[in-house]
C-alpha cells in the first residue's frame, strides 16, 4: 500500500497530465486559453495591449486635450482668486448648451468633470512616504507635518469643474469668460444636506472624493463622494496635521446633485444613503417613480437602488424633479434570493439591527454609534444593509442601464481577498422589466481574465447601438506584473451586448503609464467621446524619478487630463 502511494506521488511529480492523457506536457495548450471571439464592431480595428506612455487609439481616431491639471479656467473663487482645473479628473458628463429648452447641441455645451483625489507629490510638493516601512527615513517623514498652505492646495484640487466648451474648427475649446465655468472644491461652496439625515449632520462644506456619477433627465449632475475616509489620518492625506483643517467624515459619502447651469442650489441627498458611492444611473418605473441604482466601491460591500416616493411628472419643473431625490425608499440587493431589501427603520428592522453581532460590536468599539432613526440608518446604510441580509460583492463600481432593453449592467472590479483578481460584469433584469420591482434575476455577462482579455472592469457607458464601453482599473502598483502581466496598461474596451460577439471585449484605447482611463461619456450625436486620463505617473517615487511624462515631453511632470476623442464614422 505504501509503495503504491509512493508510486502515485512520483507519477504526479513527473507529470500526471502525460500519464493520464498520453499528451506530453510540452504539447499542452499554452495559457491563456483565449476564448473564441466574434467579429469586432465595424467602426474600429481593435488595438493590442500596450505599455507605451501614451494614450493609444485605433487608426483613424484622435484625442484632443480639453483641460489638464492646473490649467486656468478664467473663473474666480469666492475670495477673487483665479480658479484652475483640478487634479485626478474622473467622471465626465456633457450637457448640451440648449438642453433646458429641449435642445441637443453637439457643438456647444457644459462638461462636468469630477476631481477624485490629490497626489501630494504633484499638488502640494509633499513627499511620498518611503516604501520600506523599516527604513530610518520613515520617522523623518512622519515628523514632516503638512502645512496649512499645502492642505489648502490639496482641498482646492478636488471636487469638480464645470467647463463651458465649444467645437471650433474640429477642436473643443473653453469658452472665455463664461458665466457657467466654475469650480466646486473641498473648501467651497457650502452644500446643504436634504432628506431624513439633514438634522443629524453639520452644515456641509464643499465636496470631495468625487469618483463617478450620473446625469439626471432634468439636466443636473449627480456626483458621487467615494473614498471620504482617506483624508485625515497619517496613512492618508494627513489633513488633521493642522488643527481645524481636518474634515468631518459625516459630511461626505453622499450623492451630490449639482446644476451645471446654476439655477438650482447644490444638495447632498441623504435619502440615497451614505457609503462609498461609485456612480448613479437611473430609470423610471411603471408608476413613473424615479429609480436610482448605485454601487458601493469597496470589497464586500453592496449594490443599492433608490425608489422615489412620488412620480416624475414634468421635466421642465426642475426644482420639483430634484425633490424626488429627497423622499423615497433605499434598497440593498440580496443576490442569492434575487430580492431588494428595503432599508426602512421600523420595529422589525430595529429588532434585527439592535440584536445583531455587527451592531453590538460597533457599539462596543464606539459607544456613540447608534441606529435609532431613519436618518441614522441612512448615515450607516452599509451597516444596515449587511445586517438585513444584503450580499457582499466584489467591489461594486459602475452600473448603467441598457438604452434598448432596460437591463442593468454592473461592474464588479475585483476582490483579491476572495481570489477574484480579474473581476466581472453582471447583467440584472428586474421582475416584469419594472425598475420599481422588489425582485430580480441576474447573470454573469463577462468574466474578466486573460481569456476575455479584460481585467478589473470599472466605469461603464453605452453608445446608441447598445455597445457597452468599459474602462479598467488595475491598481497602478500592479500594472504589467503578476496576474496582470498580459494586459499592459489600463485600457478602454468595447463589448457588444447582442449578436454573435455579445460579451466579447475588444480593446479601443490604452492609457499612459500608471494611469487609469475613467468617465467615458458620449456627446448627443455619438461623434465625440469625452474621457479622463487619471493619475499618470502615480507610482513616481519623487519628481526626479518620474514613471510617466504624459501628456508632455520627457522630463515633464505628468498631468491628469480630460480629452475629447473624435474620428467616429459619419452616418
Amino acid at each position: 500500500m505504501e509503495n503504491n502511494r509512493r508510486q502515485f506521488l512520483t507519477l504526479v511529480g513527473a507529470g500526471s497530465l502525460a500519464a493520464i492523457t498520453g499528451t506530453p506536457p510540452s504539447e499542452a495548450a499554452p495559457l491563456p486559453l483565449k476564448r473564441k471571439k466574434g467579429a469586432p464592431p465595424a467602426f474600429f480595428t481593435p488595438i493590442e495591449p500596450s505599455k507605451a506612455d501614451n494614450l493609444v487609439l485605433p487608426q483613424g481616431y484622435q484625442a484632443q486635450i480639453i483641460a489638464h491639471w492646473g490649467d486656468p479656467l478664467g473663473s474666480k473663487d469666492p475670495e477673487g482668486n483665479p480658479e484652475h482645473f483640478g487634479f485626478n479628473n474622473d467622471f465626465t458628463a456633457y450637457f448640451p448648451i440648449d438642453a433646458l429648452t429641449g435642445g441637443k447641441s453637439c457643438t456647444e455645451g457644459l462638461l462636468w468633470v469630477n476631481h477624485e483625489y490629490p497626489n501630494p507629490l504633484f499638488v502640494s510638493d509633499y513627499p511620498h512616504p518611503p516604501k520600506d516601512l523599516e527604513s530610518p527615513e520613515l520617522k523623518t517623514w512622519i515628523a514632516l507635518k503638512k502645512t496649512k498652505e499645502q492642505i489648502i492646495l490639496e482641498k482646492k484640487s478636488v471636487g469638480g469643474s464645470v467647463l463651458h466648451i465649444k467645437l471650433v474648427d474640429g477642436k473643443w475649446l473653453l469658452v472665455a469668460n463664461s458665466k457657467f465655468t466654475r469650480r466646486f472644491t473641498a473648501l467651497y461652496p457650502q452644500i446643504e444636506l436634504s432628506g431624513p439625515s439633514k438634522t443629524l449632520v453639520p452644515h456641509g462644506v464643499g465636496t470631495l472624493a468625487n469618483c463617478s456619477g450620473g446625469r439626471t433627465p432634468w439636466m443636473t449632475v449627480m456626483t458621487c463622494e467615494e473614498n471620504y475616509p482617506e483624508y485625515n489620518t497619517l496613512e492618508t492625506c494627513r489633513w488633521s496635521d493642522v488643527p481645524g483643517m481636518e474634515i468631518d467624515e459625516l459630511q461626505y459619502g453622499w450623492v451630490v446633485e449639482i446644476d451645471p447651469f446654476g439655477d438650482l442650489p447644490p444638495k447632498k441627498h441623504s435619502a440615497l444613503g451614505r457609503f462609498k458611492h461609485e456612480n448613479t444611473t437611473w430609470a423610471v418605473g411603471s408608476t413613473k417613480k424615479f429609480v436610482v441604482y448605485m454601487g458601493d466601491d469597496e470589497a464586500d460591500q453592496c449594490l443599492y437602488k433608490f425608489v422615489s416616493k412620488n412620480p416624475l411628472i414634468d421635466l421642465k419643473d426642475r426644482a420639483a424633479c430634484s425633490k424626488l431625490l429627497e423622499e423615497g425608499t433605499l434598497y440593498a440587493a440580496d443576490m442569492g434570493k434575487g430580492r431588494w431589501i428595503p432599508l426602512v427603520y421600523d420595529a422589525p428592522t430595529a429588532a434585527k439591527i439592535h440584536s445583531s453581532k455587527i451592531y453590538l460590536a460597533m457599539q462596543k468599539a464606539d459607544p456613540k454609534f447608534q441606529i435609532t432613526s431613519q436618518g441614522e440608518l441612512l448615515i450607516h446604510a452599509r451597516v444596515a444593509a449587511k445586517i438585513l441580509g444584503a450580499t457582499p460583492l466584489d467591489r461594486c463600481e459602475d452600473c448603467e442601464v441598457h438604452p434598448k432593453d432596460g437591463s442593468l449592467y454592473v461592474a464588479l472590479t475585483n476582490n483579491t481577498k476572495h481570489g477574484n483578481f480579474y473581476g466581472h460584469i453582471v447583467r440584472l433584469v428586474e421582475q416584469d422589466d419594472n425598475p420599481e420591482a422588489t425582485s430580480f434575476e441576474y447573470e454573469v455577462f463577462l468574466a474578466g481574465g486573460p481569456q476575455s482579455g479584460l481585467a478589473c472592469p470599472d466605469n461603464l457607458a453605452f453608445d446608441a447601438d447598445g455597445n457597452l464601453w468599459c474602462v479598467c482599473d488595475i491598481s497602478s502598483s500592479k500594472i504589467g506584473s503578476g496576474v496582470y502581466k498580459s494586459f499592459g496598461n489600463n485600457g478602454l474596451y468595447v463589448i457588444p451586448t447582442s449578436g454573435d460577439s455579445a460579451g466579447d471585449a475588444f480593446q479601443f484605447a490604452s492609457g499612459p503609464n500608471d494611469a487609469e482611463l475613467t468617465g467615458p461619456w458620449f456627446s448627443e450625436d455619438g461623434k465625440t467621446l469625452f474621457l479622463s486620463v487619471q493619475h499618470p505617473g502615480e507610482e513616481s517615487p519623487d519628481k526626479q524619478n518620474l514613471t510617466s511624462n504624459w501628456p508632455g515631453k520627457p522630463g515633464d511632470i505628468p498631468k491628469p487630463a480630460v480629452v475629447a476623442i473624435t474620428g467616429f464614422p459619419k452616418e
Side-chain angles (χ1 to χ4, degrees), residues 438-503:
T438 56
S439 60
F440 61 85
E441 295 180 330
Y442 82 97
E443 64 180 357
V444 174
F445 172 70
L446 180 150
Q451 296 87 347
S452 61
L454 174 156
C456 305
D458 189 346
N459 296 153
L460 307 175
F462 282 103
D463 60 27
D465 294 325
N467 293 308
L468 182 65
W469 293 66
C470 175
V471 292
C472 291
D473 182 15
I474 301 171
S475 174
S476 56
S477 63
K478 295 180 173 61
I479 291 174
S481 64
V483 296
Y484 305 111
K485 187 175 182 179
S486 66
F487 300 97
N489 289 345
N490 276 315
L492 167 64
Y493 299 79
V494 181
I495 310 167
T497 59
S498 62
D500 294 339
S501 300

Side-chain angles (χ1 to χ4, degrees), residues 17 23-24 64 70 134 190 202 319 325 330 335 369 373 409 483 504 533 557:
L17 179 65
T23 303
Q64 175 221 334
E134 302 297 326
Q190 296 284 320
L325 302 174
L330 182 67
M335 307 298 283
F369 180 87
S373 68
Y409 286 71
V483 296
D504 293 337
V533 180
I557 289 175

